[in-house]
Amino acid sequence: MPETLTITDNRTGKTYEVPIMKGTYPKYGSAIPAIALRDIKVDDEDFGLLTYDPGFTNTASCKSSVSFIDGERGILRYRGYPIQDLAANSTFLEVAYLILHGELPSESQLSEWTNNITNHTMLHENMKKFLGGFHHDAHPMGMVISTVAALGTFYPGARDIYNESDRREQIYRLTAKMPTIAAYAFRHSAGLHFAYPDNNLSYAGNFLNMLFKMTELNYKPDPVLEHALDVLFILHADHEQNCSASAMRAVGSSLPDPYVSVASAAAALWGPLHGGANEAVLRMLREIGSVDKIPAYIDRAKSGEFRLMGFGHRVYKNYDPRAKILREMAPQVFEITGKNPLIDIAKELERIALEDEYFVSRKLYPNVDFYSGIIYEAMGFPVAMFPVLFAIPRTVGWLAQWQEQLDDPDFRIARPRQVYTGEDERSYKPMNSR
Ligand code: CMC
């Protein structure tokens, strides 16, 4: 079977043969190179055909081997491993290694990797002054985004992105310091002194330490909550070419340091249509208030007044596998924290929506943000911290996408085209004739 596409231009009657590229999964990984369409012209003056794809709904912006989603079947894999297996058997740092290096680490590789991350958790003391400049009510995500961007100024080698050892250092630093920045932002909002990292704790355990340590000499995280946070980090670590990963790649494509690229990816994550949805879900569940108000609320969403937050996804047209894991994990967390009453509203909202023709016909299912916020709230996180909790593990995914792009022989600066719909050239109008 020839791996080509024949296109006939009905304007000219000419036919063109375009190659078809294939990924690992023919069903999800076939594409034609858009540049091949440029040859399709009505005459020599013609610029040639472009593809038009607002929101990139059907455009492969890159080749990638980091993560894979089969949206129809509700499948997510990192480097080929199903998300359920990783969540059940691995720690976040193992998964981070897998995402960044392509393979699960051996015991010695994991120990070296853990050691490297642990040794980079401290922040330069000047960062405290920087964070101290924010108002007490500054949104923690705004603090995290600007602080991570500023962090690059502390490392002159950060811009030397084609130097392998410098690049590796920045990957350690960003993976290690994101929880520290996040915890400092949280404590600044709460008016608390900053708590230093404790290198004897796990990645998630140390994060809990930096958030919640008070006067005790050594903070001891609750093992159930530590594990739950670790699983939440695994579930959020990467998700192929979403809005923030695309921002990471687009900004990274002009070759700045990775700190500003991570800051821009985090900014893209913050909006309510992406990682800010977990915050919006909590506000929505609180607004609904009780189970009896759900049908009226759903009717308003169906009439187009607003969207049901935590529902629907560009790629998943089935239950988001991450939401399934969180739905099952919630009771374990509530056993320690006490039940978050919003879970009853969430489950009933899900039940009603999944039986409703509007949601069924549009294949709108709960996504990861639907249950994550309820768990975060039970663990003691204020709602404004939710997108920050998403950004910490996703930093690993952004870095893997960035690194993959830098090493890709097809790499070029991101510079899309447009279909110009404005005026053609016209004569300048002097002020007195406008
Ligand atoms: N509530 C009600 N209707 C919806 C919703 C929703 N949450 N999501 C989509 N629809 C409707 C939409 O109105 C449209 O209907 P119609 O065909 O009648 O015009 C249809 O479903 C298709 O929607 P779309 O806007 O074309 O879908 P999209 O792929 O452009 O948007 C989305 C995907 C995630 C932005 C959208 O589903 C949404 O706004 N969901 C709520 C926000 C949310 O939960 N975001 C978190 C995403 S998961 C975390 C992450 O990875 O970022």
Side-chain angles (χ1 to χ4, degrees):
M1 183 170 65
E3 297 295 337
T4 60
L5 181 75
T6 303
I7 300 173
T8 303
D9 185 346
N10 294 325
R11 299 170 302 176
T12 59
K14 281 195 199 160
T15 63
Y16 301 82
E17 196 160 324
V18 177
I20 294 178
M21 322 164 32
K22 283 173 84 170
T24 311
Y25 296 85
K27 192 173 164 201
Y28 295 94
S30 303
I32 55 162
I35 197 71
L37 303 181
R38 190 75 71 75
D39 291 337
I40 304 178
K41 303 176 175 196
V42 278
D43 55 38
D44 288 346
E45 292 291 293
D46 190 356
F47 183 75
L49 272 189
L50 301 171
T51 53
Y52 176 63
D53 189 7
F56 309 120
T57 53
N58 199 42
T59 293
S61 61
C62 61
K63 290 178 284 181
S64 182
S65 58
V66 182
S67 51
F68 170 75
I69 305 172
D70 179 337
E72 297 297 326
R73 293 192 287 157
I75 288 173
L76 169 62
R77 297 180 197 138
Y78 297 158
R79 303 283 189 183
Y81 293 105
I83 189 70
Q84 295 83 346
D85 293 352
L86 294 170
N89 300 304
S90 282
T91 62
F92 172 70
L93 279 185
E94 262 180 287
V95 172
Y97 183 98
L98 168 73
I99 287 176
L100 283 158
H101 299 83
E103 296 295 339
L104 282 166
S106 66
E107 216 166 303
S108 64
Q109 285 167 330
L110 181 61
S111 143
E112 192 189 340
W113 165 246
T114 305
N115 198 34
N116 281 324
I117 299 302
T118 308
N119 282 330
H120 284 94
T121 47
M122 296 283 278
L123 285 182
H124 192 287
E125 285 294 292
N126 284 0
M127 291 313 277
K128 283 190 191 168
K129 291 189 217 151
F130 187 84
L131 275 153
F134 287 106
H135 270 215
H136 69 281
D137 57 355
H139 195 292
M141 194 64 171
M143 290 193 256
V144 168
I145 291 168
S146 32
T147 306
V148 73
L151 194 61
T153 63
F154 288 80
Y155 307 111
R159 302 187 68 192
D160 207 356
I161 56 178
Y162 281 108
N163 176 317
E164 215 177 293
S165 75
D166 271 318
R167 195 198 290 181
R168 205 176 319 122
E169 283 285 288
Q170 312 323 322
I171 288 176
Y172 294 149
R173 286 185 177 125
L174 277 157
T175 307
K177 291 182 202 303
M178 275 300 270
T180 317
I181 297 173
Y184 276 25
F186 169 78
R187 290 182 80 107
H188 178 75
S189 306
L192 290 166
H193 66 282
F194 298 139
Y196 284 114
D198 180 341
N199 287 356
N200 293 315
L201 296 174
S202 71
Y203 191 82
N206 173 49
F207 182 49
L208 289 169
N209 156 67
M210 292 189 291
L211 290 163
F212 299 125
K213 183 176 183 209
M214 298 309 279
T215 53
E216 66 273 45
L217 218 48
N218 294 311
Y219 177 86
K220 286 200 177 57
D222 182 289
V224 174
L225 301 187
E226 183 182 1
H227 174 70
L229 193 59
D230 205 59
V231 171
L232 278 153
F233 282 171
I234 291 172
L235 300 184
H236 286 87
D238 194 54
H239 214 226
E240 51 126 291
Q241 307 312 314
N242 53 76
C243 179
S244 57
S246 301
M248 180 81 193
R249 282 181 179 262
V251 174
S253 78
S254 75
L255 309 181
D257 76 54
Y259 297 86
V260 288
S261 301
V262 165
S264 45
L269 181 77
W270 191 4
L273 297 189
H274 189 9
N278 48 21
E279 193 175 346
V281 169
L282 240 275
R283 297 192 201 286
M284 173 186 81
L285 294 174
R286 283 190 193 143
E287 189 191 333
I288 295 173
S290 58
V291 167
D292 56 305
K293 305 249 172 56
I294 294 172
Y297 196 85
I298 287 188
D299 284 345
R300 286 169 64 200
K302 281 161 59 179
S303 73
E305 199 181 319
F306 46 71
R307 289 189 168 199
L308 217 52
M309 284 295 141
F311 257 76
H313 200 276
R314 170 63 59 79
V315 184
Y316 291 118
K317 301 301 165 200
N318 201 324
Y319 212 106
D320 180 338
R322 303 168 299 172
K324 211 174 265 173
I325 295 170
L326 291 181
R327 194 181 195 272
E328 282 159 20
M329 196 176 76
Q332 295 160 30
V333 173
F334 298 158
E335 253 177 50
I336 308 296
T337 61
K339 183 172 155 186
N340 185 339
L342 294 179
I343 190 83
D344 294 333
I345 300 176
K347 281 190 171 167
E348 184 62 4
L349 184 65
E350 176 189 321
R351 192 191 64 75
I352 297 177
L354 293 186
E355 285 175 359
D356 191 299
E357 207 279 323
Y358 175 95
F359 293 90
V360 173
S361 63
R362 289 170 179 76
K363 298 187 177 171
L364 300 171
Y365 291 85
N367 58 51
V368 69
D369 293 320
F370 194 67
Y371 286 107
S372 60
I374 302 171
I375 299 176
Y376 291 144
E377 189 179 63
M379 289 173 81
F381 292 107
V383 172
M385 276 297 284
F386 295 0
V388 173
L389 295 166
F390 196 150
I392 293 170
R394 185 55 63 86
T395 298
V396 165
W398 293 329
L399 290 168
Q401 301 281 345
W402 169 73
Q403 184 162 248
E404 182 176 61
Q405 167 173 277
L406 292 179
D407 295 337
D408 185 343
D410 288 347
F411 163 70
R412 303 183 74 179
I413 187 168
R415 206 306 184 183
R417 292 280 180 171
Q418 61 173 11
V419 177
Y420 177 68
T421 57
E423 300 284 349
D424 202 351
E425 184 178 357
R426 41 184 176 164
S427 309
Y428 182 74
K429 244 185 211 172
M431 184 64 85
N432 59 8
S433 66
R434 287 176 209 165

